[in-house]
Amino acid sequence: SSGRPGAEVSKASGVSKQSPPAMGVPPGSKHRVVRASVAAARAALQIIRDEPERRQRLLDNARKIREGLAQLGFELFPSDVITPILPVIIDDEIQLCQMFFALLQAGIYTNPIFRPAAERCMIRISCMATHDHAQIDQLLNTMADLGRQFGVIE
């Protein structure tokens, strides 16, 4: 071995083969990243155990947003379960871009998804347990205004 992380020397050829470093991880820091990820996961699991009301609040928020968007006339990705990620179908790519940028200007971050990354174009809205009713109402009101403005809903 050459002593470099990921390097191997083929005994038959004597040629050093350097394997690429993990994406975005500087050489020699891989274990720090893993330890930090494990610590974060443990802390998250502890919060889940200690504060089960957070999960319920998250699901309540997701339900309120989903029901509000459906009542406004947005097409939602069908789901039998309530999840904190709410995909709103917007097949027209121009409308999708308009909605995404206008939401961003309004201080609401979403994720635009385009074909071929998914079967249909959509804006993914993520909610958290820490979102309050005023923030959810702001999202729904902004979605209503922009949806009408860009012809996504009537």
Side-chain angles (χ1 to χ4, degrees), residues 106-123:
I108 299 171
Y109 183 77
T110 60
N111 300 102
I113 309 295
F114 296 91
R115 287 183 287 281
E119 187 176 310
R120 298 181 70 186
C121 292
M122 65 185 81
I123 283 184

Side-chain angles (χ1 to χ4, degrees), residues 39-58:
R42 282 187 177 148
L45 290 171
Q46 191 63 46
I47 289 170
I48 290 170
R49 279 192 291 271
D50 293 347
E51 302 174 41
E53 67 277 5
R54 280 193 196 221
R55 183 173 186 277
Q56 188 57 52
R57 204 166 42 244
L58 173 64

Side-chain angles (χ1 to χ4, degrees), residues 2-113:
S2 70
R4 292 178 305 177
E8 293 179 16
V9 177
S10 167
K11 289 184 181 180
S13 68
V15 175
S16 174
K17 297 179 183 177
Q18 177 72 32
S19 59
M23 188 161 75
V25 179
S29 67
K30 189 184 305 184
H31 298 292
R32 285 190 300 261
V33 172
V34 170
R35 281 194 290 265
S37 296
V38 169
R42 282 187 177 148
L45 290 171
Q46 191 63 46
I47 289 170
I48 290 170
R49 279 192 291 271
D50 293 347
E51 302 174 41
E53 67 277 5
R54 280 193 196 221
R55 183 173 186 277
Q56 188 57 52
R57 204 166 42 244
L58 173 64
L59 295 176
D60 291 344
N61 286 349
R63 185 176 297 107
K64 181 176 180 176
I65 295 169
R66 186 171 189 77
E67 289 170 358
L69 291 169
Q71 288 174 357
L72 289 169
F74 285 98
E75 181 182 358
L76 301 170
F77 194 81
S79 178
D80 294 334
V81 296
I82 299 296
T83 70
I85 298 174
L86 302 130
V88 179
I89 306 298
I90 304 176
D91 283 318
D92 183 283
E93 292 178 359
I94 300 295
Q95 290 174 324
L96 176 62
C97 289
Q98 290 171 322
M99 288 285 293
F100 168 72
F101 285 114
L103 285 164
L104 195 58
Q105 286 179 334
I108 299 171
Y109 183 77
T110 60
N111 300 102
I113 309 295

